[in-house]
Amino acid sequence: MKPFSSYQNPSLAVDLVVFGYSKQQLSVLLLNRKEAPYQDGWVLPGAFLQMEERFRDTCSRVLKTKLGMDDVYMEQLYSFDEPERDPRGRAIAVAYYALVNPARVAIAAGSMANDVAWFNIKELPELGFDHRAIFDMAVQRLRSKITYFPVGFELLDEQFTMPELHELYECILDTTIDRRNFRRKILDSAYIISTGTKREGAQNRHPDLYTFNKQLKQNSFQINV
Amino acid sequence: MKPFSSYQNPSLAVDLVVFGYSKQQLSVLLLNRKEAPYQDGWVLPGAFLQMEERFRDTCSRVLKTKLGMDDVYMEQLYSFDEPERDPRGRAIAVAYYALVNPARVAIAAGSMANDVAWFNIKELPELGFDHRAIFDMAVQRLRSKITYFPVGFELLDEQFTMPELHELYECILDTTIDRRNFRRKILDSAYIISTGTKREGAQNRHPDLYTFNKQLKQNSFQINV
DNA sequence: CTATCTTTGCGTCAGATTAACACAAAGATG
DNA sequence: CATCTTTGTGTTAATCTGACGCAAAGATAG
């Protein structure tokens, strides 16, 4: 299948904002560029679309080959088209954001090249291209989304405790939320199911374990900031 | 500025979901195609990106040249990339939706070609390409957006009455909203300002006139369905 | 011109929701 | 064993919401 319009089209790429949550820290995955432009600078991982490839496929390919990750939750964010966004020439980027639990996603041992690193989202280096704008929009989207959709479960283990979920929300929304009111709201929403078991070997008391309710139908909760 | 990637890229186009509100009806603008594919079928207006053009520029160009409209509110919706979405070949579409007040937007007289028509959103013909999916997403986005952002004001006159605003919301959300509770919520939100004047020559009592508050800072209301 | 109807602005009130906070049991700490 | 921290559960007052009443300003009709 060949393109049919009369002029040479801009390059088409995807850029990925990969969020990872670990040890009460929300981080992003950045790549240290080896070539110009922005040589030695940090950028979001990305790739040009290959023939017949869909955006989502390109994203998966990047996650797989550059980062050794499989089976990652992702969502289209926005398309960026400033003519000057890539000094090499006209390039359109369709940005996606991905949510990764580093402990859960199959990250092949040693597969993460040494030019890849996690950065706490509050301590980001300067980014090349227009990647700072892309990142900012991704954070905004994640914050907004998590208040009405249980997107955060992608970042936790299969089973998690209420304090863990609570901490995740406080971390992403960068605010404090009353522990007891949060609990009530989440439980009322039926987004999570108690497994009936408790975590063993915890530091403190053994908190109840929960699972994400995959049967849920519609949005029915609202965490206010 | 030339594209630099090694292979021929897909075609890049924008597709536009143009909403118009008039006489208590929410409508979309459709185009009757003259050529194959989908000859004689209805589709969303759109165009291929021209060199150096940004998505938004392409949208403006379509609105201007095909529909004779200027200065229209629009927002990027989503990017569509199914390989088979255009039978002519690989084509990526970045969809935008636009909000138009037919009485307000400068529509050059007679400039709307006779192959263009407004359709009530509830009585749409079959659409070519994947345009039905694009339209559906646009409606969904508009509905969602209007519940927390005063996007609807783009569809009304500069000055409008409370009953008009109320009707607009009922129409877009396709539901009934208690008139008195709606009034209270909107007024509390400070999204609108009373002009202190009343509409003359109305059919019934002369209702108060309001204006959209352009000074507003943040989202602060929530219309529930 | 007057009786009646419709539209519009403004209120009321019971029930639901929320934010703030108390308390006690389970385990950790030393 | 005394004390501290964590976690599950409640309570309560303030607020918000939804359902609805009412009356004044026109419109409508005989």
Side-chain angles (χ1 to χ4, degrees):
Chain A
M1 199 188 273
K2 290 212 151 192
F4 52 91
S5 74
S6 50
Y7 76 100
Q8 173 95 8
N9 285 295
S11 303
L12 249 175
V14 300
D15 281 321
L16 269 166
V17 182
V18 183
F19 290 108
Y21 182 72
S22 182
K23 304 195 185 91
Q24 298 153 40
Q25 302 251 328
L26 186 63
S27 315
V28 207
L29 209 48
L30 297 180
L31 221 82
N32 196 274
R33 272 182 75 85
K34 296 244 167 57
E35 342 65 73
Y38 302 106
Q39 183 163 21
D40 229 47
W42 294 96
V43 295
L44 298 172
F48 290 105
L49 243 69
Q50 290 181 353
M51 270 300 186
E52 307 293 314
E53 216 177 25
R54 298 190 57 175
F55 303 145
R56 195 166 278 278
D57 301 329
T58 314
C59 291
S60 298
R61 182 163 56 81
V62 170
L63 287 166
K64 179 76 179 174
T65 63
K66 290 202 197 176
L67 314 171
M69 296 173 183
D70 257 323
D71 223 7
V72 170
Y73 174 90
M74 51 186 154
E75 190 177 324
Q76 187 182 310
L77 183 62
Y78 201 76
S79 297
F80 293 81
D81 69 339
E82 295 85 46
E84 310 299 332
R85 59 180 296 282
D86 191 321
R88 291 167 296 179
R90 186 80 200 278
I92 305 291
V94 181
Y96 274 68
Y97 73 90
L99 302 181
V100 162
N101 175 352
R104 199 171 159 197
V105 167
I107 303 184
S111 71
M112 263 182 44
N114 56 8
D115 54 356
V116 172
W118 291 102
F119 286 85
N120 184 297
I121 64 157
K122 288 184 163 179
E123 298 155 10
L124 244 51
E126 201 170 328
L127 300 185
F129 303 105
D130 57 349
H131 288 185
R132 178 72 206 198
I134 298 178
F135 165 79
D136 286 341
M137 191 181 274
V139 171
Q140 197 184 324
R141 180 79 132 262
L142 176 61
R143 285 202 174 131
S144 153
K145 184 118 187 174
I146 205 178
T147 60
Y148 65 88
F149 195 78
V151 94
F153 299 97
E154 304 290 341
L155 295 165
L156 295 174
D157 292 343
E158 175 71 30
Q159 299 199 346
F160 51 87
T161 67
M162 188 59 76
E164 282 165 2
L165 187 62
H166 176 241
E167 247 167 7
L168 173 67
Y169 271 74
E170 288 199 329
C171 178
I172 291 181
L173 296 174
D174 193 25
T175 183
T176 59
I177 306 171
D178 184 276
R179 180 177 64 84
R180 294 146 293 184
N181 294 335
F182 176 81
R183 155 184 286 275
R184 175 162 40 88
K185 221 161 194 176
I186 292 286
L187 287 177
D188 286 353
S189 78
Y191 271 143
I192 68 178
I193 300 167
S194 170
T195 65
T197 57
K198 284 166 179 285
R199 168 156 298 167
E200 294 301 318
Q203 306 166 334
N204 217 311
R205 186 152 137 42
H206 303 169
D208 298 348
L209 283 169
Y210 296 91
T211 293
F212 171 43
N213 178 3
K214 281 159 188 165
Q215 319 277 325
L216 69 84
K217 330 105 238 257
Q218 269 308 323
N219 303 349
S220 63
F221 79 4
Q222 177 69 37
I223 302 293
N224 298 311
V225 248
Chain B
M1 201 186 276
K2 291 210 151 195
F4 51 92
S5 74
S6 49
Y7 76 100
Q8 174 94 7
N9 286 296
S11 303
L12 250 176
V14 300
D15 281 322
L16 270 167
V17 182
V18 183
F19 289 109
Y21 182 71
S22 181
K23 303 195 187 90
Q24 297 155 45
Q25 300 252 328
L26 187 64
S27 315
V28 208
L29 209 48
L30 296 180
L31 221 83
N32 197 273
R33 271 182 74 86
K34 297 243 165 56
E35 341 67 71
Y38 301 105
Q39 183 163 22
D40 229 46
W42 293 95
V43 294
L44 298 172
F48 290 106
L49 242 70
Q50 290 181 353
M51 269 302 186
E52 307 294 313
E53 217 177 25
R54 298 190 58 174
F55 302 144
R56 194 165 280 276
D57 302 327
T58 313
C59 291
S60 298
R61 183 163 56 81
V62 170
L63 287 165
K64 178 75 179 175
T65 63
K66 290 201 195 175
L67 314 170
M69 295 174 184
D70 257 323
D71 224 5
V72 171
Y73 174 91
M74 51 186 153
E75 190 177 325
Q76 186 181 310
L77 182 61
Y78 200 76
S79 298
F80 293 81
D81 69 338
E82 295 84 47
E84 310 297 332
R85 58 180 297 282
D86 191 321
R88 291 168 294 179
R90 187 78 201 278
I92 305 291
V94 181
Y96 274 68
Y97 73 89
L99 302 181
V100 162
N101 175 355
R104 198 170 158 197
V105 167
I107 303 185
S111 70
M112 263 183 44
N114 56 6
D115 54 357
V116 172
W118 291 103
F119 286 84
N120 185 298
I121 64 156
K122 287 182 164 181
E123 297 155 11
L124 244 49
E126 201 171 326
L127 300 185
F129 304 103
D130 57 348
H131 288 186
R132 179 72 207 196
I134 298 179
F135 166 81
D136 285 341
M137 192 181 273
V139 171
Q140 197 184 323
R141 179 80 130 261
L142 176 60
R143 286 200 173 132
S144 153
K145 185 117 186 174
I146 205 178
T147 60
Y148 66 86
F149 196 78
V151 96
F153 300 96
E154 305 290 340
L155 294 166
L156 296 175
D157 292 343
E158 175 71 29
Q159 298 199 347
F160 52 87
T161 68
M162 188 59 76
E164 282 166 1
L165 187 63
H166 177 241
E167 247 168 9
L168 173 67
Y169 271 74
E170 287 198 332
C171 177
I172 292 181
L173 296 174
D174 193 25
T175 183
T176 60
I177 306 172
D178 184 276
R179 180 176 63 85
R180 295 148 291 188
N181 294 336
F182 176 80
R183 154 183 287 273
R184 185 184 36 191
K185 222 161 191 176
I186 293 286
L187 288 178
D188 286 353
S189 77
Y191 271 144
I192 67 178
I193 300 167
S194 170
T195 66
T197 57
K198 282 165 179 287
R199 168 155 299 168
E200 294 302 318
Q203 307 163 336
N204 215 311
R205 184 154 137 41
H206 302 169
D208 299 347
L209 282 170
Y210 296 90
T211 293
F212 170 43
N213 177 5
K214 282 160 187 162
Q215 319 278 327
L216 69 82
K217 327 111 236 256
Q218 268 309 320
N219 303 349
S220 63
F221 79 3
Q222 178 67 39
I223 301 292
N224 298 311
V225 249

